[in-house]
C-alpha cells in the first residue's frame, strides 16, 4: 500500500477524464445508432459450415465461389489454422437444395411443387427427412433421378394419396454442404472434409437477442438496489452510471470495428458488469471507511486518498486478468476470440471507470461525511430530551 505522503491527485484530472468519457460515449452512441451491431448467427439466424482443407485455403477463391452460389451475406474466415475455414451465411443451407429441386421439377411438370419438408417418422430410423411433392407422379420422380445417392444417401419414394413422398437419408443442410464442397474442390483443387454444419433459426435468434437485452437490464437494476442498500444512493448512482459507461463503450468498439456480436460476446459484456462492479465496490468501501476515519479533508481529498490506497490492488488485478485474456485472444481459437476481446476492452474501460467515472460522480454529487452517518436511534433521541 502506498504511504499517505504519496497521495495521487486523481481528482485533479477529473474534468479532463470526464471530457474523454463523454467523447467516447458520444462516439459509441453515434456508431450504435448509425451502424448498429454486426449480430452473429446466434441472433440473426443462419448457417455455418466448418471445412478442413488438405492445403492452405485460398480465401479469395472460396469467397468467389460463395458469391456464385448466391448465398446471402456469406463470410469465409480462417478458423484455427490456414487450412481450416469457417463459412457463415444468413441463408438456411437447405434453401439451396430446395431451389435446385424446384428448378429440376419445372422440367418435369408445370404443376409440380414441393408441398412440405418434414422430419422422418420414428419408424423411419434410416432416414432424416421426408419431402412431399404435389403435381408430379412417382414414376416421373424415379425416372428423373433427382436424388443422387452421393448427396442424399439412401432414398425411399412412395405415393400417399395425391402426393408423392421421398424419404432421404441425409438432411438437406448436409446435402447442400456436399454441393458446396464439390464446388469448392473444383475451384481450388483441394481435398475438403466437412468438420461441422449447423443452423440457427431466426426465431431462436430473436428470442436470444431479446432475453440477452433483458438480462443486461435486470443485472443493472439489481446492482443499483444492492449498492444503495449496502452504501448510500449516491454510491448506487455512481456505480450504475459507471457500468452503463463501460457497457456502451464495449458495444461501441464492436460497432466501430464491425466485429461479430454473438452470444459469447454478450456473455463477456455481462462479465464486464461483474468485473467493473467488483472494482468499484472495493473503491467505494475505502471511500466510506476514509470518510469516517479522516477528521479533516475535502471530498476530493478523501477520494484521492482512497483511490491511492486501492490503486496497487486495482492495477495488479487488472494486469493479471489482462494477461490471461490476451493469451486467450491470440491462442484460444476463433470461437472465443470475440469473448476475449470484449473482456480485454471491458477490463481496461472498467479499471478506468472505477477511478474516473464512479469516483468522479461521487465528487460531482458532493458526497459528505453526513451522507454516511447512521440516523440516530429513536431511544437515543428520547434520552437526550429527558432533563
Amino acid at each position: 500500500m502506498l504511504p499517505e505522503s504519496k497521495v495521487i491527485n486523481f481528482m485533479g484530472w477529473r474534468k479532463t477524464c470526464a471530457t474523454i468519457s463523454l467523447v467516447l460515449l458520444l462516439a459509441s452512441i453515434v456508431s450504435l445508432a448509425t451502424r448498429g451491431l454486426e449480430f452473429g448467427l446466434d441472433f440473426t439466424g443462419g448457417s455455418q459450415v466448418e471445412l478442413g482443407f488438405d492445403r492452405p485455403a485460398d480465401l479469395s477463391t472460396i469467397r468467389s465461389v460463395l458469391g456464385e452460389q448466391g448465398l446471402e451475406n456469406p463470410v469465409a474466415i480462417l478458423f484455427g489454422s490456414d487450412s481450416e475455414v469457417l463459412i457463415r451465411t444468413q441463408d438456411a443451407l437447405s434453401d439451396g437444395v430446395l431451389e435446385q429441386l424446384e428448378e429440376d421439377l419445372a422440367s418435369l411438370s408445370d404443376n409440380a411443387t414441393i408441398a412440405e419438408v418434414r422430419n422422418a417418422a420414428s419408424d423411419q430410423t434410416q432416414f432424416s427427412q421426408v419431402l412431399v411433392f404435389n403435381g408430379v407422379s412417382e414414376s416421373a420422380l424415379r425416372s428423373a433421378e433427382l436424388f443422387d445417392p452421393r448427396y442424399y444417401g439412401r432414398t425411399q419414394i412412395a405415393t400417399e394419396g395425391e402426393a408423392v413422398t421421398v424419404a432421404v437419408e441425409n438432411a438437406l443442410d448436409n446435402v447442400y454442404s456436399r454441393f458446396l464442397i464439390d464446388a469448392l474442390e473444383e475451384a481450388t483443387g483441394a481435398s475438403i472434409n466437412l468438420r461441422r454444419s449447423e443452423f440457427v433459426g431466426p426465431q431462436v435468434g430473436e428470442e436470444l437477442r431479446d432475453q440477452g437485452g433483458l438480462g443486461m437490464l435486470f443485472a443493472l437494476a439489481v446492482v443499483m438496489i444492492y449498492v444503495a442498500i449496502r452504501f448510500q444512493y449516491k454510491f448506487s448512482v455512481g456505480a450504475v452510471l459507471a457500468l452503463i459507461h463501460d457497457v456502451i463503450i464495449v458495444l461501441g468498439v464492436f460497432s466501430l470495428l464491425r466485429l461479430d456480436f454473438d452470444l459469447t460476446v454478450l456473455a463477456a459484456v455481462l462479465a464486464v458488469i461483474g468485473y467493473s462492479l467488483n472494482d468499484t465496490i472495493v473503491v467505494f468501501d475505502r471511500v466510506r471507511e476514509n470518510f469516517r476515519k479522516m477528521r479533516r479533508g475535502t471530498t476530493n481529498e478523501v477520494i484521492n486518498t482512497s483511490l491511492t490506497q486501492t490503486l496497487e490492488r486495482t492495477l495488479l488485478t487488472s494486469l493479471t486478468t489482462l494477461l490471461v485474456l490476451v493469451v486467450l485472444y491470440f491462442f484460444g481459437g476463433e470461437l472465443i476470440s470475440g469473448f476475449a476481446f470484449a473482456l480485454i476492452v471491458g477490463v481496461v474501460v472498467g479499471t478506468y471507470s472505477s477511478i474516473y467515472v464512479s469516483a468522479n460522480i461521487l465528487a460531482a454529487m458532493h458526497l459528505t461525511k453526513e451522507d454516511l452517518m447512521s440516523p440516530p436511534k429513536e431511544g437515543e433521541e428520547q434520552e437526550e430530551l429527558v432533563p
Side-chain angles (χ1 to χ4, degrees):
M1 186 178 295
L2 296 172
E4 291 187 5
S5 59
K6 293 186 179 179
V7 171
I8 302 172
N9 183 19
F10 289 99
M11 291 297 100
W13 290 84
R14 56 191 292 253
K15 292 182 180 177
T16 302
C17 291
T19 304
I20 293 172
S21 288
L22 288 175
V23 170
L24 291 175
L25 286 173
L26 186 61
S28 299
I29 291 170
V30 169
S31 178
L32 288 168
T34 57
R35 298 158 62 96
L37 288 168
E38 286 285 328
F39 286 112
L41 296 184
D42 295 335
F43 296 108
T44 62
S47 305
Q48 65 179 19
V49 179
E50 186 183 338
L51 303 175
F53 287 65
D54 66 346
R55 64 190 69 175
D58 182 353
L59 284 182
S60 61
T61 303
I62 293 170
R63 288 166 181 155
S64 174
V65 171
L66 296 178
E68 293 171 2
Q69 293 290 317
L71 296 173
E72 184 178 357
N73 299 323
V75 175
I77 57 174
L78 294 177
F79 186 76
S81 71
D82 61 359
S83 61
E84 294 182 61
V85 176
L86 182 69
I87 295 172
R88 290 175 173 168
T89 172
Q90 292 182 336
D91 290 301
L93 294 181
S94 58
D95 290 347
V97 181
L98 294 175
E99 288 175 9
Q100 183 62 50
L101 283 174
E102 286 173 350
E103 289 179 12
D104 295 337
L105 285 173
S107 63
L108 296 179
S109 169
D110 293 337
N111 299 322
T113 58
I114 302 173
E116 183 184 0
V117 178
R118 62 181 186 230
N119 292 329
S122 57
D123 58 344
Q124 294 177 300
T125 55
Q126 67 273 43
F127 300 108
S128 300
Q129 291 178 307
V130 176
L131 289 75
V132 181
F133 296 89
N134 285 335
V136 64
S137 66
E138 179 180 337
S139 59
L141 277 181
R142 289 184 184 279
S143 60
E145 297 181 349
L146 301 182
F147 304 97
D148 190 331
R150 290 180 302 162
Y151 302 110
Y152 293 91
R154 287 176 295 177
T155 56
Q156 184 181 70
I157 303 177
T159 300
E160 290 184 4
E162 296 182 354
V164 178
T165 63
V166 180
V168 294
E169 181 181 10
N170 298 327
L172 297 189
D173 284 348
N174 289 332
V175 172
Y176 187 81
S177 298
R178 294 169 194 274
F179 285 166
L180 188 60
I181 288 173
D182 280 356
L184 291 173
E185 284 183 334
E186 183 178 352
T188 62
S191 176
I192 304 172
N193 292 317
L194 176 64
R195 303 284 174 81
R196 180 165 57 100
S197 172
E198 61 184 14
F199 171 74
V200 179
Q203 183 60 37
V204 174
E206 288 176 8
E207 290 176 4
L208 290 173
R209 183 178 55 199
D210 294 343
Q211 290 175 4
L214 288 175
M216 196 178 301
L217 291 176
F218 180 74
L220 290 174
V222 170
V223 165
M224 192 161 189
I225 294 170
Y226 165 74
V227 177
I229 293 174
R230 177 169 175 182
F231 294 91
Q232 198 253 1
Y233 82 94
K234 291 181 181 178
F235 287 87
S236 70
V237 173
V240 169
L241 290 182
L243 295 182
I244 292 173
H245 165 276
D246 299 345
V247 170
I248 290 177
I249 290 178
V250 172
L251 296 179
V253 169
F254 271 74
S255 173
L256 283 168
L257 299 181
R258 310 301 292 167
L259 299 174
D260 270 359
F261 188 89
D262 55 24
L263 276 182
T264 63
V265 178
L266 176 61
V269 172
L270 292 174
V272 166
I273 292 177
Y275 180 89
S276 180
L277 177 64
N278 180 57
D279 221 13
T280 302
I281 290 295
V282 171
V283 173
F284 281 179
D285 239 345
R286 190 55 59 93
V287 170
R288 180 175 59 179
E289 182 181 334
N290 283 335
F291 260 113
R292 291 171 176 170
K293 287 170 57 179
M294 295 172 65
R295 296 184 178 181
R296 296 179 180 177
T298 64
T299 300
N300 284 352
E301 288 171 344
V302 173
I303 292 175
N304 281 335
T305 302
S306 304
L307 290 172
T308 303
Q309 292 172 343
T310 55
L311 182 63
E312 184 178 352
R313 178 261 177 206
T314 300
L315 292 180
L316 283 176
T317 305
S318 298
L319 288 175
T320 50
T321 307
L322 281 174
L323 183 63
V324 174
L325 292 174
V326 169
V327 171
L328 276 179
Y329 177 73
F330 284 107
F331 303 105
E334 189 71 27
L335 274 180
I336 60 172
S337 63
F339 174 82
F341 183 73
L343 276 177
I344 289 172
V345 177
V347 168
V348 172
V349 176
T351 304
Y352 161 83
S353 73
S354 66
I355 298 174
Y356 278 112
V357 177
S358 57
N360 212 346
I361 290 171
L362 292 182
M365 295 181 74
H366 306 293
L367 181 72
T368 63
K369 184 179 294 186
E370 288 70 24
D371 290 327
L372 301 171
M373 292 180 65
S374 302
K377 295 181 181 178
E378 189 175 338
E380 293 176 351
E381 289 180 352
Q382 290 175 350
E383 287 177 5
E384 290 177 0
L385 292 174
V386 175

